[in-house]
């Protein structure tokens, strides 16, 4: 584990041309969005409504949307932090090939990464999608409708259930996005993992695949992860402080 002298890691980044980033909730905590597992995280404050409950129970849908309306204003107001901006910097430098994220907050796109470079494994909370016809509306519109009295809004095209466009527990992962993430991982020369506990599968196996295919594996996280043992380097620290030093011209 390395603390302050990041010269070696910076050298790897300067020498890389096909970096793939892999981010989790930790990169967004400094934007004011809590992660899941920390003591003040989402799971400490909310009952989880899984996909099965959402599709089978009106009460489950109402509870899901109640939580969404409470959490949406803070999510909407959050701004990218210096960690997100460092990834956008790497893209502008021509070093970043793709950014695979478990996050649903859209902050990588808002930091300047083109949408087609951001592979959202768990979807996005910025929109709601109809589970029947796939039509999408903005979360702003969906939350306005809930607040106006539609406690679990339905699709106005087909009457199907509207659900925030995130992947809930028990909901199938998006196959096309997963395949693109695997391909990017197998082709990268450096996998930069930031702010993920790496305990959620199959997402955590993506950095492992990059390492097996010959890429360097660099992990930046506040605490230990199950992949620390196979990483080429682990930097323990706050991503907003560490990433600009790894990626920025001033490093
Ligand atoms: P996690 O909550 O399991 O782990 C986050 C990790 O980041 C922890 O190990 C924590 O120690 C570390 N961390 C927290 N703040 C950090 C910082 N400033 N710098 C460095 N490390 C920091 O999150 P996960 O691994 O992404 O997986 C849980 C699921 O949570 C994901 O599937 C994701 O969809 C969802 N989620 C997303 C958001 C978001 O979009 N911002 C927020 C909460 C949860």
């Amino acid at each position: 584990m390395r603390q302050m002298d990041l010269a070696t890691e910076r050298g790897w980044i300067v020498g890389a041309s096909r970096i793939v980033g892999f981010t989790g909730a930790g990169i967004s905590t400094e934007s004011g969005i809590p992660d899941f597992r920390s003591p003040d995280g989402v799971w400490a404050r909310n009952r989880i409504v899984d996909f099965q409950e959402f599709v089978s129970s009106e009460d489950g849908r109402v509870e899901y949307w109640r939580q969404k309306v409470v959490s949406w204003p803070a999510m909407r107001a959050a701004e990218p932090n210096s960690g997100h901006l460092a990834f956008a910097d790497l893209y502008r430098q021509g070093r970043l090939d793709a950014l695979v994220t478990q996050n649903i907050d859209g902050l990588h796109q808002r930091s300047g990464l083109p949408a087609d470079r951001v592979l959202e494994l768990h979807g996005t909370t910025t929109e709601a999608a109809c589970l029947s016809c796939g039509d999408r509306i903005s979360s702003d519109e969906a939350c306005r409708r809930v607040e106006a009295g539609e406690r679990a809004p339905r699709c106005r095209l087909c009457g199907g259930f509207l659900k925030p466009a995130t992947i809930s527990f028990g909901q199938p992962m998006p196959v096309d996005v997963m395949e693109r993430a695997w391909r990017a991982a197998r082709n990268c020369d450096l996998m930069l993992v930031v702010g993920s506990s790496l305990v959620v599968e199959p997402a955590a196996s993506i950095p492992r695949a990059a390492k097996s295919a010959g890429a360097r594996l660099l992990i930046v996280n506040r605490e230990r992860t199950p992949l620390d043992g196979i990483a080429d380097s682990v930097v323990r620290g706050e991503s907003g402080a560490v990433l600009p030093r790894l990626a920025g011209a001033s490093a």
Side-chain angles (χ1 to χ4, degrees), residues 26-49:
I27 197 170
S28 294
T29 56
E30 290 166 82
S31 294
I33 302 174
D35 61 17
F36 268 5
R37 290 178 177 76
S38 296
D40 62 342
V42 176
W43 285 345
R45 293 180 286 109
N46 280 309
R47 177 172 91 71
I48 293 174
V49 177

Side-chain angles (χ1 to χ4, degrees), residues 179-190:
E179 278 172 2
R180 287 180 61 201
W182 283 111
R183 218 176 306 131
R186 289 198 202 95
N187 287 329
C188 72
D189 52 7
L190 188 148

Side-chain angles (χ1 to χ4, degrees), residues 162-202:
L162 273 179
K163 178 180 174 295
T166 52
I167 306 298
S168 296
F169 286 100
Q171 186 171 2
M173 303 275 286
V175 176
D176 54 331
V177 180
M178 279 302 288
E179 278 172 2
R180 287 180 61 201
W182 283 111
R183 218 176 306 131
R186 289 198 202 95
N187 287 329
C188 72
D189 52 7
L190 188 148
M191 166 77 56
L192 176 53
V193 179
V194 180
S196 176
S197 57
L198 293 175
V199 297
V200 180
E201 295 290 352

Side-chain angles (χ1 to χ4, degrees), residues 58 62 69 142-153 156:
E58 179 72 5
V62 168
V69 167
C143 288
R144 268 198 305 272
R145 284 171 53 183
V146 175
E147 285 171 326
E150 290 181 58
R151 297 172 70 213
R156 290 207 166 140

Side-chain angles (χ1 to χ4, degrees), residues 226-239:
L227 297 198
D228 286 4
I230 63 162
D232 294 275
S233 179
V234 177
V235 181
R236 193 86 72 229
E238 301 297 296
S239 58

